[in-house]
Amino acid sequence: MQTALKQETETRQFAIPAGVHAETVVSVKHYTDRLFSFRISRPQSFRFRSGEFVMIGLPNADKPVFRAFSIASPNWDEEIEFFSIKVPDGPLTSELQKIVPGDTVLMRQKSTGTLVLDALTPAKRLFMISTGTGIAPFASLIRDPETYEKFEQIVLTHTCRDHAELAYGEELYAQAVNDPLIGELTAGRLIHYSSTTREITPRMGRITRLIENGRLFTDLGIEPLNPETDRVMICGSMSMLKDVKTLVESLGFDEGSHSQPGGFVVERAFVG
Ligand code: A2P
């Protein structure tokens, strides 16, 4: 009742901007004081490719602030899922982190992005390298059957500061493996590899180091990265993107795009 009232007040005070979907928050899950995920209703007309991002805002101003969010749900899902950081003074996430089921979230109509399967040339293995909320687009892609049509093996890496920040990825992996719809596809083909950099855990280190020193491959008992057989998708902070990009380029991978598919693609994990 209270939530419905709050929503009505918000809608009355601030008109929904033209060309923007006003969707209802279905669920919210807080992982740590820095990370949370939420699901919203999906407009029937909204289509996207797994791995893309969309602009999100709140109906709390005449000209709401919009920020880019990778869509974490697969394109067949009836709802839309996001995985977000909480920036204490961030223009959007400082407010967004307070949403509860029943609230309204604004979403622009068009999605876009470079982390799409079409931007990669065919190969055997797909490495998805992520840090922090950079796992979001991969949460979408590992639940998309097309990923398994195009690649034999998927290696999803996730590195965070501490263990609690890895929880979203751990849940995601468990769900993808046990899902009645895609569990059959992921079985034995989807690998989840996580590490921490600040909290002491059995597996520590930045992913750049774990690739350079070969630990990623020895831990998993798989062949090292090879541009002949592998493709790479990268999503994280600006400095992470720069370092991983430099690393894969040094191994002989070339960057792909929609117009010219290649060996790797890069997208920053958005904050604000
Ligand atoms: P570190 O703890 O050594 O900074 P954040 O939450 O700040 O976005 O960081 C998420 C993870 O990304 C952290 O484990 C962090 O390690 C790691 N990271 C930050 N910068 C880089 C980089 N340039 N290359 C690889 N990993 C990075």
Side-chain angles (χ1 to χ4, degrees), residues 34 131-132 159-161 197-198 206 208 237 239-240 243:
R34 292 204 321 139
T131 55
T159 303
C160 291
R161 295 178 186 187
T197 48
R198 302 198 189 183
R206 287 186 168 191
T208 36
S237 64
S239 75
M240 175 274 197
D243 290 354

Side-chain angles (χ1 to χ4, degrees), residues 158-195:
H158 191 207
T159 303
C160 291
R161 295 178 186 187
D162 53 47
H163 183 251
E165 293 185 342
L166 294 173
Y168 178 81
E170 285 166 354
E171 281 178 18
L172 171 76
Y173 174 73
Q175 193 214 336
V177 168
N178 296 318
D179 188 274
L181 221 61
I182 53 154
E184 246 174 67
L185 294 173
T186 58
R189 294 169 63 195
L190 173 65
I191 296 174
H192 174 241
Y193 184 90
S194 59
S195 67

Side-chain angles (χ1 to χ4, degrees), residues 82-135:
F82 299 99
F83 182 46
S84 177
I85 196 149
K86 306 173 192 177
V87 183
D89 52 1
L92 178 59
T93 63
S94 58
E95 291 302 313
L96 190 66
Q97 63 178 287
K98 298 176 195 158
I99 55 169
V100 293
D103 283 355
T104 300
V105 166
L106 305 179
M107 184 174 81
R108 287 208 199 280
Q109 289 175 350
K110 215 181 141 3
S111 60
T112 186
T114 54
L115 293 186
V116 289
L117 295 168
D118 289 346
L120 297 172
T121 46
K124 281 190 175 169
R125 303 188 300 180
L126 175 58
F127 284 76
M128 300 173 169
I129 312 287
S130 71
T131 55
T133 56
I135 195 174

